[in-house]
Each structure stands twice: as C-alpha cells, then as structure tokens.
Amino acid sequence: MQNATVPQVVGGGPKKILYTLSTLKRIGLLQSAKALTSHNACKACGLGMGGQRGGMTNELDEFPSVCNKSVQAQSTDIQPPIPEELFARHGLKDFQELSGRELEKLGRLGTPLFKAAGASHFTPVDWDAALHKAAEVMRQTDPQRSFFYASGRSSNEAGFVLQLLARLYGTNNVTNCSYYCHQATGMAMGNSLGTGTSTVDLHDLTGCDLVFVIGANPASNHPRFIHKLQAVRERGGQVVVINPAKEPGMVKFALPKSAKSLLQGGSEIASEYLQPRIGTDLWLFKGLAKALLENQGADWDFIDHHTQGFDAFATDLHSTDWGSIVAACGIAQAEIERVAALYAKASHAVFAWGMGMTHHVNGVENIEYIANLALLRGMVGKPYAGLLPLRGHSNVQGIGTVGVKPELPDYMLHGLEQHFGVKLPAAPGMDTLASLEAAHRGEVDFALMLGGNLYAATPDSHWAEQALERIGFKLFLTTTLNHGHVTGLEQGAALILPVTARDEEWQPTTQESMFNYVRLSDGGIRRLANVRPESSILAELGERVLPDCGVDFSLLRDHRQIRSTLASVVKGLEPLAEIDQSKGEFHIGGRILHTQAFPTPDQSARFITHPTALAAVDSAYPYTLMTVRSEGQFNSIVYEETDAYRQTDDRWSVLLSPATIRRLGVEAHGRVTVRSAQGEMRGVKVFPFDLPDGNVMAYYPEANVLVGRERDPRSHTPAFKSIPVTLEVERQA
C-alpha cells in the first residue's frame, strides 16, 4: 500500500510570491500595476482594501495590503474579449464540456449573446436588440413568476437599482448569494445582539490578545487575515483554530511581507487546534462554556447587568454531561478545558468564523452559541473584542444592506415608498433555494441573475440543472462565462449581457467590507469597447418595462442620485450623501459595538439555549462529508486545478484521514466511489489529510452532486458541510 501519511506543508512562502509574480507577468505588469494601484476596492474577499486610500492600502493605511486572491481576481478582468466567431463555430454542448477554469480563461464577454428557445448556439446581438428582447419578456411575464438574484461582487448602486426594479415590477422575489453562505450569521447575531454584522472593526484586531478562528480557512480564502493572526502571536497573544480539517496554512504560514517569517520557514499561527467531528460544533461549544463555568471563568458583572437568558443557558450546561460532550465531538475533556482556560485568561477576544459554521441544518444555532461564548466573558461591547463573520465576496454584505433580499425592514420599505411616492409589495418573497424550487415546479418564467454562478452555488447539481432548465427566459449580467451560463439552457431562451468590472465603471461606485466599512471606487479604466455598467443596464430596463411606475429610472443612471436615495432611506448610510464631494469613506453607524448598550429593545444581549442529542449514525451512509474550496479557488471560480496546501493534483478527489484510508484498504491516490442519498461521484482520487476518522472532504462545486437540499429551518441555508456518505473502493481488474 502506498504511503497514506499526511504531507507536511507550510502556507504562503516563496512559491506563493512566485505564483503571484507569474500571474502579474501573464496579464502584463503595466496593466496589473494600473489595476492594483487605482482607487478601487479589491474585487476578492470581504476583508476589503483599496478605495480612496489607493490600491493595496487598507483603512489602517497599511501597505501593501494585497494577496494572491486580489491578483487572481484582476487576472480574470484583464483579458481580451472572446472572439465572436467562437460562438458561430461552437454550440452549447461544446461550452458545457469545458471546465470552469477553461470557461473563465476564454476571455471577457465582449458582446451581448442571445440563445433562442431550443437553439443550440449563442448568437451575438447588439445592445438595442438585447434590451428590447429582455424588456419584451418582462412585460409579458407575471411578476410573481419571476425572481431576481445578485452575487456579492456587484456594487451597492447596481444592487439598489436591481431590488427597486424588482419591487416596482411587482415581486419581492429578490435574493442574493448570502442565503448560501452567511444568512445564518445575520439571523443568529440579530437574535443574540440585535445586529447581524461584525461588531468589530479592523483596528480592533490590533489590540486583541486572543482570536478564535472557527470553521474557516483564511490561509486560503482570506490570506491577509493571516497577517493579523500572526501579529496576535507576535505580541504574545493566542490563536485558537476550531476546524475538523487541520489546514496547513492555519498551523504555519510564511508571510510574504515578512523577511523574518520567510527566512525561518514560516510563522506559527495556531496556538491550539481543536478538530471536532463534522457537525458536532454545538457540543464543543457547550463543553467550552461548561468548563468556563466550572472553573469560575465567567464575567458575572457583565452577565448580570447586560444580558438576559443566562439561567436557562446555565441549567442546560449543568444537565449536559462531559461523557456525552466528548463522545459527540471526539475531543478529550482535558483539551476542551485547556482551551477554556486560555479564554479565561484573555482580556480581549475576537471570535471569527466562516461557512464551516453556517453550512449545517443547525447553522443558526452554531452562531448563537458562538455569541453565547462571547457573552460569558463580556467579550462583546468593548474595543478589541467581539464577533467577526468572515465574509466571502467583496460586497456581499453591502448587497444586503441596500435591500437585495426577500423582505425589507419595515423602516426601509416605508422609506422607499415615501421617497418615491409609490406603493411596493409587502408580502415576503422567496429566498435563493426557494426560488429554484419554484422553478423546478415550473412556476418561474423569468429570472435575472446579476453576476455569480447560481448553478455552481446550488446543492444537488442534477436537480439544480433541471430547475434552471424549466425557467422560460434567463437574463444574465456578467464579465466572463461560467457553467451557470451554459447549464440548464437546452430548451429555454437566455440572454447574456457583458458588464464592466468594478475598476471599469463609468461612474464611482461603493462597496461594504465585512467590517462594515464603505469604500468609494473610482472606476474609470477602459479595457473593452462594448461592455456597460450593471446599473445602467438595469435602469434602462426600468425605463423600457415600467415607464409609468412613478419612478423615473433615467435618473437612476446617475450614481450620485442613487447614493442620495440610499442616504435618505437606509440607516447608517447617511454619509453617502456627501461622499462624492468629501471622498470620506466610513463605518456604517450603529454596527460596531464598543459599548455595552446593545441595539435590542432593552439594550441587553441574549443567551440563547438549544438542546443537543447524540446523532444516530446511518449504517447506509456511515461517513460525513463536507465540501470545501481549494487554495487555487475563490468561491465557485477555479483559478488552479491543483491545491498547493492540501497537496492534491485533481479536483475530482476526496480527502480522508490515514486511519480511514487504512480501514478501507485503499491506496493513497487510489480511486473510490462516493455516494450520498442524493447522488454519487465515481472514480474520485484519494488523498490523505489530517481529519477525524470517518470524516471526508471533497471540492465544491464538483461535490454538489452529493449535497441534498436539507437546510437550516430559520436561515434556509443548505447543509453543504454535513452530508452522510458511503465510500466504495474501486478495485483494479
């Protein structure tokens, strides 16, 4: 049997520097420099940088604040247009055979494309014909048989016009990609604290002495966050990582900006690394809380004066025995108590987490218990401490702030009605998965998708394809092609419109980071001749479809007009009214919690209690799988087929612990079939990785074929990270 040991890898390092330099060279050093130094917000993760401080500079004026994800995002945008002849020469099936990476690398979309119902090819069309067709379909469609979807990469201005267009059209079926990621976070934090976003700003990370990183792999997905974690260690603080997978970059990372870190072969990141079994986080959190209470680690003054619900929470912990906790999560009591003791000694702790917490049927409960842990020691409501959801796309939070969601807050709904003198629909619309379920039932005739890759983002791939196929007309706005533009298009009609990238916008736009920080991006770079801004396209659709709706959509072509409206109707966005003149970027008011008055009716935070029960193992599916992104990937965009950190060379692969590999009797790099109740992956390559025995990892979106549509009942977020599966070894003949 081949060696099934886990390879020892250090994150970052010279190879990452060389990779970034190679990417910059490939897209052209002059073009790269222009893009990276312009006054535009970074297009990658929600950490944020750029804007009016200049490219590669964050809100603390730290320079260079850049990573390989930033460069990868630029490499996609700095491409020539796809030759139009390609669409005459190759039909839909040819494009479907390409990998996501190959589609991305075809180039930028440079002209509108139309595919008629039943046709096999895309046809380039001019802008007037494209917009005429889209408007004609919208006018002929019952608004209740439509939905409008946005990714988190669009601007606040485009997002606002999208949701206003949809509501004036007559539907609240307005949704966004957060329903597949951090919707559970917003709901849980709202329940516990009265606010649904980060309670800390970037500066708070400079003064904390403990950071919990839970269910996240920022070494790959938020690389610049690793610098903040290393700084905590450098000043004597601690970093506790909680993740079933022992990610190499979270253990040790060679920081490209630090000669010392590079020369010594990397910096230690995690002080403690707990690896609970997939889906048992609630048990672990109860164990940490129980250890704190048993060892007098609670902040009683804070609990007594600033919280509600503690008695029920403590009673539940008392009745939860250590034997059950250890049996469920697989972590010894002594390990849990050791980490709890670290927390008890901390003065300022930050809790950061990713989708490893939200992608479960109890995702909201997971976040509520993270909040409980923070409340136990008064780690919310003061500087250098609090809660930090690690957001993915660079403006996913802003898209929600400006109203791209199925139900607006009452104050915003009434504010829009008063501002425009109109009446908007009040009944809640459908979330993302519900929209596709309606499509699968044949109840959607029109869908508008603003960026993103809804097909790849959706669980149960075969079902998702069927749902998209049953939508009569799909309208996409995008910079490049992906599988979402060529899947589920056999029978229906589709129109794909090419849009400007953020730094190509004709007018300044704004974006909101995961720290609630709003940046102003100048745009202004011209690369392609026949692309248009998203906001301009949406405003023209409004003019063509709703000429008598009471809103003059021609005015919404002006971003200053949009920002003025947002300033008047959205709480915390008042500074947008002056941002064009002042260039003053800002934190949204009322979200960063540095005092112990919480935005709840009684100004108190709340402990929220949930029961736990030992889960029965399904003998038909005895393993538990979670889907993950690779190092060479951002969201559903795949830049590299290999994963340098996990040492895989094939995305059609599965990662197993050495113990699981030995028990199966399979060789490392051998082949297995992975099955769930939903689907199967045949012939996947086996790689050893540091995971709990019986736990499995596979790459998203390829493994979406295994993911069912089970979801959190409150956030409606699918359970991408807790899928019961079975493994069958494929024997060579």
Side-chain angles (χ1 to χ4, degrees):
M1 182 177 294
Q2 292 183 22
N3 186 7
T5 59
V6 177
Q8 300 301 306
V9 177
V10 175
K15 287 186 177 180
K16 280 296 158 191
I17 297 174
L18 293 173
Y19 169 81
T20 301
L21 289 174
S22 173
T23 305
L24 292 172
K25 184 177 180 181
R26 175 169 54 81
I27 61 180
L29 293 177
L30 288 177
Q31 287 204 78
S32 303
K34 185 177 182 181
L36 289 170
T37 58
S38 64
H39 286 201
N40 292 288
C42 176
K43 303 170 187 176
C45 77
L47 199 69
M49 63 91 167
Q52 294 306 295
R53 282 179 162 81
M56 299 189 289
T57 304
N58 65 20
E59 57 262 47
L60 300 182
D61 291 320
E62 294 170 332
F63 177 90
S65 187
V66 69
C67 69
N68 65 315
K69 289 289 187 286
S70 305
V71 175
Q72 286 171 335
Q74 290 291 1
S75 72
T76 295
D77 292 337
I78 305 175
Q79 296 186 95
I82 303 170
E84 290 188 22
E85 306 81 58
L86 201 69
F87 301 107
R89 222 177 276 162
H90 296 279
L92 190 60
K93 291 190 182 300
D94 290 339
F95 289 99
Q96 291 169 348
E97 290 178 4
L98 299 178
S99 70
R101 182 171 180 263
E102 289 169 335
L103 280 169
E104 192 82 18
K105 288 185 175 295
L106 286 177
R108 287 282 298 276
L109 185 64
T111 189
L113 297 176
F114 177 64
K115 192 202 81 71
S120 61
H121 285 64
F122 291 108
T123 302
V125 294
D126 63 41
W127 274 102
D128 186 65
L131 292 170
H132 175 80
K133 171 57 72 175
E136 180 182 48
V137 171
M138 287 184 69
R139 285 192 298 267
Q140 294 171 354
T141 300
D142 177 353
Q144 292 307 310
R145 295 179 61 86
S146 69
F147 71 81
F148 295 71
Y149 169 84
S151 81
R153 210 169 178 180
S154 295
S155 68
N156 289 331
E157 290 73 17
F160 177 77
V161 179
L162 175 75
Q163 65 92 15
L164 184 64
L165 171 65
R167 297 184 208 284
L168 288 167
Y169 181 52
T171 183
N172 279 333
N173 296 335
V174 182
T175 188
N176 68 73
C177 58
S178 73
Y179 280 88
Y180 284 172
C181 56
H182 270 291
Q183 182 66 18
T185 288
M187 182 160 289
M189 289 182 63
N191 296 339
S192 298
L193 306 175
T195 181
T197 61
S198 175
T199 70
V200 299
D201 57 26
L202 185 62
H203 183 260
D204 285 322
L205 297 181
T206 67
C208 56
D209 58 358
L210 172 63
V211 179
F212 283 88
V213 183
I214 310 171
N217 182 21
S220 289
N221 301 320
H222 300 80
R224 287 184 291 115
F225 187 61
I226 295 295
H227 290 265
K228 297 303 176 188
L229 298 180
Q230 189 273 336
V232 173
R233 296 299 308 276
E234 189 80 15
R235 58 179 180 262
Q238 308 295 325
V239 174
V240 175
V241 180
I242 299 175
N243 192 330
K246 184 165 276 189
E247 300 288 3
M250 297 305 298
V251 176
K252 200 169 188 179
F253 197 97
L255 284 80
K257 288 200 301 184
S258 169
K260 176 184 175 183
S261 181
L262 290 170
L263 289 172
Q264 67 186 15
S267 302
E268 302 290 339
I269 302 301
S271 317
E272 294 282 349
Y273 207 123
L274 299 181
Q275 294 177 262
R277 297 187 182 108
I278 293 172
T280 65
D281 307 283
L282 211 60
W283 286 98
L284 174 58
F285 298 153
K286 285 192 176 185
L288 290 168
K290 187 177 180 74
L292 278 172
L293 291 181
E294 290 178 350
N295 293 281
Q296 291 75 50
D299 184 336
W300 295 111
D301 183 71
F302 177 86
I303 291 170
D304 290 342
H305 292 95
H306 301 291
T307 71
Q308 302 289 335
F310 175 76
D311 289 344
F313 177 71
T315 298
D316 177 74
L317 291 178
H318 181 72
S319 65
T320 305
D321 65 278
W322 276 109
S324 296
I325 292 171
V326 172
C329 70
I331 298 175
Q333 180 178 342
E335 287 187 75
I336 297 172
E337 290 176 332
R338 186 172 68 246
V339 170
L342 272 183
Y343 182 30
K345 293 176 183 176
S347 299
H348 299 88
V350 170
F351 290 80
W353 67 90
M355 290 182 291
M357 289 295 94
T358 62
H359 279 173
H360 300 274
V361 293
N362 65 332
V364 176
E365 293 179 3
N366 282 340
I367 312 308
E368 287 170 340
Y369 265 74
I370 292 174
N372 288 342
L373 284 172
L375 295 177
L376 265 179
R377 298 215 57 245
M379 292 297 177
V380 190
K382 65 180 184 181
Y384 309 118
L387 303 183
L388 175 60
L390 298 171
R391 302 273 183 172
H393 262 316
S394 56
N395 196 41
V396 63
Q397 194 164 293
I399 286 293
T401 295
V402 301
V404 184
K405 47 193 171 185
E407 186 173 12
L408 292 176
D410 287 342
Y411 86 87
M412 188 175 173
L413 176 65
H414 298 320
L416 285 171
E417 289 178 332
Q418 185 174 6
H419 182 86
F420 289 111
V422 296
K423 188 68 176 174
L424 299 176
M430 296 186 292
D431 60 68
T432 306
L433 191 52
S435 294
L436 285 172
E437 286 176 328
H440 196 269
R441 294 191 300 267
E443 298 172 2
V444 175
D445 299 322
F446 172 83
L448 190 158
M449 284 156 274
L450 184 65
N453 184 345
L454 186 53
Y455 164 70
T458 296
D460 194 351
S461 302
H462 297 316
W463 175 89
E465 180 175 358
Q466 292 170 358
L468 290 166
E469 183 66 73
R470 294 172 186 176
I471 299 172
F473 189 97
K474 291 177 282 292
L475 174 59
F476 302 96
L477 280 67
T478 187
T479 54
T480 58
L481 293 179
N482 60 51
H483 279 138
H485 303 125
V486 299
T487 305
L489 261 67
E490 299 289 342
Q491 300 304 316
L495 183 64
I496 311 177
L497 303 181
V499 300
T500 53
R502 180 171 300 161
D503 54 5
E504 301 166 352
E505 289 275 359
W506 299 352
Q507 304 171 68
T509 60
T510 57
Q511 294 78 33
E512 177 189 335
S513 79
M514 67 189 189
F515 293 104
N516 304 296
Y517 189 73
V518 177
R519 286 180 168 83
L520 180 68
S521 296
D522 286 351
I525 296 175
R526 184 175 174 82
R527 297 190 183 100
L528 303 179
N530 198 32
V531 297
R532 295 187 181 183
E534 294 167 331
S535 57
S536 176
I537 296 168
L538 294 168
E540 184 163 348
L541 279 176
E543 292 177 66
R544 289 175 180 248
V545 178
L546 305 168
D548 303 315
C549 69
V551 173
D552 185 350
F553 272 93
S554 69
L555 298 178
L556 296 180
R557 293 172 181 261
D558 185 343
H559 288 185
R560 292 169 301 178
Q561 182 69 41
I562 297 171
R563 287 190 281 273
S564 175
T565 302
L566 285 168
S568 68
V569 299
V570 181
K571 292 178 182 178
L573 293 187
E574 293 83 1
L576 281 182
E578 305 295 332
I579 198 169
D580 289 278
Q581 293 75 35
S582 68
K583 307 297 181 184
E585 297 171 329
F586 62 94
H587 286 96
I588 295 176
R591 294 186 181 177
I592 306 299
L593 300 182
H594 284 165
T595 65
Q596 294 172 341
F598 296 97
T600 61
D602 59 4
Q603 296 192 323
S604 294
R606 279 163 175 74
F607 285 94
I608 298 175
T609 304
H610 296 287
T612 41
L614 290 170
V617 176
D618 184 346
S619 60
Y621 303 104
Y623 300 94
T624 306
L625 179 144
M626 62 179 178
T627 64
V628 294
R629 275 87 167 154
S630 70
E631 161 60 17
Q633 178 177 0
F634 180 72
N635 225 10
S636 61
I637 303 172
V638 176
Y639 296 108
E640 302 295 331
E641 300 287 346
T642 60
D643 189 337
Y645 291 173
R646 300 189 186 111
Q647 294 286 282
T648 62
D649 59 9
D650 188 345
R651 290 187 60 82
W652 195 252
S653 61
V654 65
L655 293 94
L656 308 172
S657 74
T660 302
I661 290 174
R662 286 192 294 271
R663 189 171 61 257
L664 285 170
V666 64
E667 293 186 345
H669 305 160
R671 301 282 174 173
V672 299
T673 293
V674 187
R675 288 192 182 91
S676 71
Q678 213 61 46
E680 66 178 20
M681 296 173 69
R682 288 182 172 272
V684 294
K685 193 172 181 179
V686 172
F687 290 91
F689 201 69
D690 194 337
L691 285 160
D693 188 14
N695 285 180
V696 182
M697 294 199 313
Y699 289 117
Y700 158 101
E702 290 84 350
N704 281 357
V705 69
L706 302 171
V707 183
R709 282 168 279 126
E710 294 79 16
R711 72 205 77 177
D712 185 292
R714 290 189 282 172
S715 69
H716 308 293
T717 304
F720 288 97
K721 296 193 185 294
S722 47
I723 305 113
V725 299
T726 188
L727 303 171
E728 179 184 312
V729 179
E730 297 191 357
R731 306 293 182 188
Q732 291 184 346

